[in-house]
């Protein structure tokens, strides 16, 4: 039997990164950049077409699939968190050292920023056609919602906080269900199901602030807004709302992970403790 | 090989509940609370946004996915019935003792109540904006349909009864198909398919009263309505309609389960009887 | 280990039908009745709500899922054809004797009739509200399209014929792809994929006459129309169009099955002929 | 055990094509013809019904499923590229000789042409009703967009170029993720996931020119337009835009394939190189 070594295998032999932290950070960066490139594109296609080319169901489905496929891409390197809230929950579950958590957060947020740059570039012509030189948060030509969350005036920051706790809690609760080895869903299905969890959340907890449920997804594009003329309003709007989609998801994800194990996961009948090797433990969510 | 015992495994060793009835009741409670939190959120996002942020397709898909993931969560403890109609059908099929059936029903209905409280909390600001102080069942600011089913005036209670028998019958018929070991669908796929059955039902048997097809899902939120100012109309409306989505689903589910076995399941060619251990038999729907 | 024999297994021991033709006919009848009950419900929910509770995407998804689950139900007995066009194609492929084909066709068409009765019953109140005593095929209160296909006036019968050949050809072509053992898709996935094929067809070949692509699905409800006051117009309309969705699907399905094997299936590299036992051969589509 | 040889197996013994290039070309031709027959049908059902029978979500889902099933059909012969951009990326990855690449491109483009003929035939009556004798690219009765991409006037060709690079890059990036043996998704799932990638792309990168992301899909129907009266405008419109959806996808696909391996694929921890036999290597994407 003649064997063939494919070009990408030869490339691998030359460039394979052996340091787990570096390759994981790279994966989180690429994965979150892709996620935001796709995701910001989805929202822009909705807003800039006057809600014609996309409707809310496409936002739900598009974001869900973007999560699914970006997690697939990173599932065997960094685990495909793409979200500091997922990372902090896994930190409390012993899957991620504090140092790596901090690196993941930076990689994710920087990735989100870069992905937004890409989507803005692709849709720059449409942006100009829709909004001209206006860069405003509310009003008829408002485009701020293309980038990140801005609550309506009748939604209080307290409500927004609990909304983001709840939305991210749903995400992390079902992530814990899906990856629980005792629930026994095959690993290759996990990212696809994560995507459908996001679709579900979008149909349910999307009305108050539009389900960011991810600090990097919200902060990265918000920083980008400073560069293209929205000014400090991106941060000061609605009584400094900006910190809520950063902090609340972290709270929600940790609460949900432990709620799942406290009320359900720990009680699944199965006498043997699940034990993993240190190697597996170092690769959070690698099972996917 | 260095082994790692994860924190949730250590927690498990401390708090694992050994009594099946208790852990199953807890699971049914949590599962149904989550289901209603998500599901009431879906309907509120539809009604309170003036049918803008959700349309009927999102109600179909959102509820279907909510069923799928909440069943996944409970699939290895209580089996994830989340519905007294499913429980009574499994009772007649020898999977659930009468005592457990009653406990399941209470846990499900109380869970439905608590889940509704949560959704109402998250969307309280939106509720006030939409309806002000009105708490009415029909009319321009009507919000009762956010919580449970209220038939239109031209639908008779007789029609509503048969509608709920039929809708729940479809659900239970296909649940029996999916879990039939001779149909041989892998267990990890079951909850996902249950969800798609619900999506299908919503597109077909949703027009008369909106497919509650679950006594707990309908009664839990209806009781909550008494606490927030709708008054006894929640129960007296439409000539005491409220009992129909409680009783009719129980009838439909039992009829359907036995219809399936009588006309199809019993005739699948396979000489060996399916035999399960007492342990498996005690854990209804555990195969999922 | 204590063993448990479930009640449905005891029922099975008493009533199990040993004659394959009888049990298959029963399955085709039940399966097609369910399919039409759900499917006619979907269309009625669209028409009778003034296109509000369902839109076309729900018709696509609902019908697709109805196919998927009704085929699952019958997959281990009759194979779940639910469609004379599928049956005739399998006849030409040696999977169904001529006698069984005729029995299948009757069971399917009678099932379609009975399913329509059920859907009409559930939505009778809505029907009266929408159309009063009108039973017309065209015009503002027209409801004929709830039951079966009626082409618009600008679509010729020739076009309708080729449309139905093409639509059914797509269905059967991809059914052959999905069940081809050399494509190697696991059997439990087949019915789910059949459903998605139907969703796809509905988005593509649905404009001329609404993709009946199934003689039983079209004829059964059309006969029912005679009983509820539409008169002979149900058959004479559009220059006796009614025979087209009966004959064209049969032509399309046979053409497509052999086109697949002629141009693709026969050329998949694999030296061994696929051989099945007589027993397997007698149970068409049993692999599902 | 009596064995049965099915009729299609006997046909196979007579007509099985042993030359890989010929059978692969035939598969690519049939697969792309089917894809365009379905896909052009989808767009026509949208345009010619006045955006009533289809909306954008059906275009997304319909095209995605069309990709999925057409790839399934060809997955064991040619691999089911159906797109010169996918073929060129696999060429650079050593899976497709240059000669075969050229043959694939011709087969795909000719298939796209023939599929378009079919869809035009099926919807000819509808075409005449909608547009009469007008064959125009812009304006109230414009139908050119039924066939291939024509950018709006405010989108520059530079933007269109990068849009098509980006859209096709997303496609090929995730194709590489899905087929990566180290990501370990079972082969029979691949085509289904490809379809969902296309759905995602349609919700995100669809606004500028409508995501052709496939030179054959765009050029085949464009050539057909010359035969039915659109004139040379089909090619000269928008400053000779036509070459962009031919060239840009080729660039995007190659870039994306290597980007994936450079930044993620090569760093998946796994010491053994993936080695395939020459026979497997000759059948690109055969794993599907």
């Amino acid at each position: 039997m003649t064997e063939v070594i494919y070009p990408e295998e030869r490339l691998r032999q030359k460039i394979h990164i052996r340091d787990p932290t570096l390759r994981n950070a790279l994966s989180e960066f690429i994965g979150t950049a892709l996620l935001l490139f796709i995701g910001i594109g989805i929202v822009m296609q909705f807003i800039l077409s006057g809600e014609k080319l996309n409707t809310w169901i496409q936002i739900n489905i598009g974001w869900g699939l973007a999560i699914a496929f970006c997690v697939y891409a990173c599932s065997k390197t960094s685990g495909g968190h793409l979200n500091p809230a997922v990372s902090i929950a896994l930190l409390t579950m012993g899957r991620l050292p504090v140092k790596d958590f901090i690196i993941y957060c930076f990689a994710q947020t920087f990735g989100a920023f870069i992905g937004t740059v890409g989507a803005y570039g692709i849709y720059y012509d449409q942006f100009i056609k829709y909004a001209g030189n206006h860069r405003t948060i509310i009003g008829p030509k408002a485009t701020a919602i293309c980038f990140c969350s801005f609550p309506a005036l009748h939604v209080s920051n307290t409500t927004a906080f609990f909304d983001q706790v709840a939305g991210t809690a749903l995400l992390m609760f079902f992530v814990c269900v899906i990856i629980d080895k005792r629930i026994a869903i095959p690993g290759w299905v996990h990212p696809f199901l994560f995507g459908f969890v996001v679709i579900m959340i979008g149909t349910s907890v999307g009305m108050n602030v539009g389900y960011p449920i991810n600090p990097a997804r919200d902060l990265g594009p918000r920083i980008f807004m400073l560069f293209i003329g929205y000014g400090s309003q991106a941060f000061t709007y609605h009584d400094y709302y900006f910190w809520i989609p950063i902090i609340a998801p972290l709270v929600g994800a940790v609460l949900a992970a432990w709620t799942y194990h406290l009320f359900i996961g720990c009680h699944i009948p199965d006498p043997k403790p699940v034990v993993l090797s240190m190697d597996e433990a170092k690769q959070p969510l690698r099972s996917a």
Side-chain angles (χ1 to χ4, degrees), chain A:
Chain A
M1 196 180 88
T2 321
E3 285 182 347
V4 176
I5 297 182
Y6 280 139
E8 74 270 22
E9 291 298 316
R10 287 197 296 270
L11 180 68
R12 178 189 173 87
Q13 285 161 18
K14 284 183 203 144
I15 67 165
H16 181 67
I17 300 172
R18 280 172 207 290
D19 176 40
T21 304
L22 181 55
R23 74 178 170 227
N24 290 353
L26 187 61
S27 270
E28 289 293 309
F29 168 74
I30 299 279
T32 320
L34 272 173
L35 177 63
L36 269 280
F37 177 72
I38 300 164
I40 297 289
I42 292 167
V43 186
M44 285 187 172
Q45 186 161 320
F46 175 69
I47 299 290
L48 304 181
S49 72
E51 312 196 1
K52 195 165 165 270
L53 290 194
N54 273 356
T55 58
W56 269 92
I57 184 69
Q58 274 118 318
I59 296 182
N60 304 146
I61 292 177
W63 264 97
L65 294 177
I67 292 280
F69 290 113
C70 293
V71 174
Y72 270 122
C74 310
S75 59
K76 297 295 183 181
T77 46
S78 65
H81 303 187
L82 315 181
N83 184 344
V86 173
S87 296
I88 202 173
L90 290 167
L91 181 153
T92 69
M93 292 166 75
R95 265 83 165 172
L96 197 66
V98 174
K99 195 195 99 194
D100 284 28
F101 167 66
I102 294 166
I103 292 169
Y104 270 47
C105 289
F106 273 97
Q108 289 157 354
T109 308
F110 186 51
F113 180 90
I114 294 295
T116 308
V117 174
Y120 186 67
I122 289 293
Y123 282 143
Y124 186 75
D125 288 1
Q126 307 278 3
F127 209 91
I128 296 303
K129 170 147 192 283
Y130 182 82
N133 290 319
H134 294 83
R135 295 291 178 274
T136 50
I137 290 172
I138 46 174
K141 293 285 185 193
T143 45
I145 213 171
C146 290
F147 297 99
C148 56
S149 62
F150 292 93
L153 293 173
H154 65 279
V155 175
S156 73
N157 276 350
T158 310
T159 294
F161 185 87
F162 285 107
D163 176 276
Q164 282 306 287
V165 168
T168 319
L170 286 179
L171 175 66
M172 197 64 210
F173 186 94
F174 290 116
V175 166
C176 287
V177 169
I178 292 164
I179 67 174
D180 188 334
K181 284 184 186 301
R182 290 189 181 86
I183 302 281
I185 302 171
W188 63 267
V189 187
H190 295 183
F192 201 67
L193 292 184
F194 298 161
F196 277 82
V197 168
V198 172
I199 293 175
M200 179 192 75
I201 291 172
T203 66
S204 172
V205 199
M207 186 164 44
N208 283 326
V209 302
Y211 66 112
I213 58 172
N214 179 338
R217 179 262 173 273
D218 204 77
L219 181 60
R222 202 180 292 275
I223 293 170
F224 179 68
M225 292 174 77
L226 296 177
F227 290 79
I228 55 169
Y230 288 90
S232 60
Q233 263 205 91
F235 285 82
T236 59
Y237 174 84
H238 207 271
D239 199 15
Y240 294 89
Y241 158 82
F242 84 94
W243 66 269
I244 289 173
I246 299 173
I247 302 304
L250 302 176
V251 175
V254 173
L255 279 179
W258 288 99
T259 298
Y260 169 68
H261 285 292
L262 207 54
F263 290 108
I264 297 184
C266 285
H267 311 304
I268 296 177
D270 171 13
K272 294 167 299 183
V274 168
V275 175
L276 291 108
S277 71
M278 181 60 89
D279 190 57
E280 283 174 291
K282 270 190 186 151
Q283 303 293 338
L285 285 182
R286 272 268 305 283
S287 66

